[in-house]
Amino acid sequence: MLAQALPALALDAARAVRETAVAGLRYPFGSSPLLHELALRRPPAGGDGHRTPVVLVHGYGGNRATWWALERRLVRARFTDLHTMTYSPFARCVTEIARALVRDCTEVMERAGSDRVHLIGHSLGGVVVRYAVQELGLGPAARTAVTVASPHRGTLTALLGRGTLVAQLRPGSRILDDLRRRARPGGTRWVSYWSDRDFVVRPYSSRLDEDTLGATNVLVPGVSHLGIVRAPEFLASVVHLLTHGTPFVPPPAGARVLVA
């Protein structure tokens, strides 16, 4: 069995290395708000559009560049209020980042004159979204909460790092156990996107299987941990989710979005 699994694992690792290299090339542009705006080629604001703000939360070591592809698609779909929360990988813990997310969402909603917000978090960002919604009172305002390749049951790669924040992403950590144990139904629509070829966060962890949340799990097959945020199927599904309330996109020939 191990001999059969090794080629697939090697391919997953190679895919992860390639996507990491691509992310590294984009990183300097995402670190600068000005370069980020230039890269997005955002059209002038104005006209009718979807007014509920969308707040994006990148993963550990990421920045605004994580969301370029999705922001472009949302802009084309006439979402007029997009915000990317950034944080340092040297933050002390998930709670610290989640508190900052709650403050950002409050400010964003006040400026937009809205009492609701859509949240999308990649990897660690999805755990931050969960903590803010479940533990810090953001639930009533969160119309949609999306996690993308997030380690809901931890990731073994966190064993390679140091510090409290990284330790909280390890399997069996107290904060992840608390999130599962305290999950309760509410008015938030939960959706998790996951990949069967994610070398960093394996499928058993990236699915949001807590029945009390009533989450929809969407498989985007054959993509890496970083590549999922640029996968055409993922982008189309998120736009459909925020526009129509469901992540499922009736697939054309060859499309691979699967709702589980």
Side-chain angles (χ1 to χ4, degrees):
M1 293 294 293
L2 179 60
Q4 294 175 344
L6 284 177
L9 289 173
L11 181 60
D12 291 348
R15 187 181 291 113
V17 169
R18 184 179 67 248
E19 290 293 345
T20 300
V22 172
L25 292 174
R26 292 170 175 244
Y27 191 91
F29 297 93
S31 298
S32 165
L34 176 59
L35 292 178
H36 175 72
E37 288 299 317
L38 291 175
L40 281 180
R41 299 188 295 274
R42 196 192 302 268
D48 296 330
H50 303 281
R51 299 303 303 172
T52 301
V54 180
V55 178
L56 308 168
V57 188
H58 60 73
Y60 185 85
N63 65 10
R64 295 178 180 89
T66 298
W67 299 114
W68 282 355
L70 180 57
E71 285 191 87
R72 287 174 181 150
R73 290 293 295 268
L74 290 173
V75 166
R76 291 206 300 268
R78 304 194 63 76
F79 283 86
T80 60
D81 214 332
L82 304 178
H83 304 269
T84 302
M85 178 202 175
T86 60
Y87 58 89
S88 169
F90 302 108
R92 289 180 297 174
C93 59
V94 168
T95 303
E96 178 182 282
I97 304 171
R99 285 174 177 158
L101 174 60
V102 172
R103 290 194 298 269
D104 285 0
C105 288
T106 301
E107 293 174 2
V108 164
M109 289 187 291
E110 287 177 354
R111 289 198 301 267
S114 173
D115 60 355
R116 305 301 296 272
V117 65
H118 299 302
L119 298 164
I120 304 176
H122 174 248
S123 196
L124 167 59
V127 177
V128 170
V129 166
R130 280 194 72 182
Y131 197 90
V133 172
Q134 289 186 216
E135 303 294 319
L136 299 182
L138 194 56
R143 175 169 291 175
T144 309
V146 176
T147 70
V148 188
S150 294
H152 299 294
R153 284 167 176 74
T155 171
L156 293 177
T157 58
L159 295 172
L160 303 176
R162 301 180 63 182
T164 300
L165 179 60
V166 173
Q168 289 178 328
L169 301 182
R170 294 171 185 163
S173 76
R174 180 172 180 176
I175 195 167
L176 295 180
D177 285 346
D178 284 347
L179 285 174
R180 289 196 303 273
R181 182 167 49 86
R182 298 174 183 172
R184 296 291 184 271
T188 301
R189 178 175 50 218
W190 288 94
V191 179
S192 75
Y193 289 90
W194 62 286
S195 171
D196 55 349
R197 310 314 303 177
D198 188 336
F199 187 72
V200 177
V201 180
R202 304 307 290 174
Y204 74 89
S205 181
S206 53
R207 289 173 56 94
L208 191 51
D209 286 330
E210 282 75 359
D211 292 337
T212 50
L213 291 179
T216 300
N217 290 290
V218 182
L219 168 62
V220 185
V223 295
S224 70
H225 185 69
L226 296 176
I228 190 172
V229 294
R230 296 196 298 275
E233 301 94 338
F234 164 75
L235 300 173
S237 184
V238 170
V239 171
H240 197 276
L241 167 65
L242 299 189
T243 304
H244 301 290
T246 170
F248 179 72
V249 180
R256 301 175 296 166
V257 171
L258 303 174
V259 176

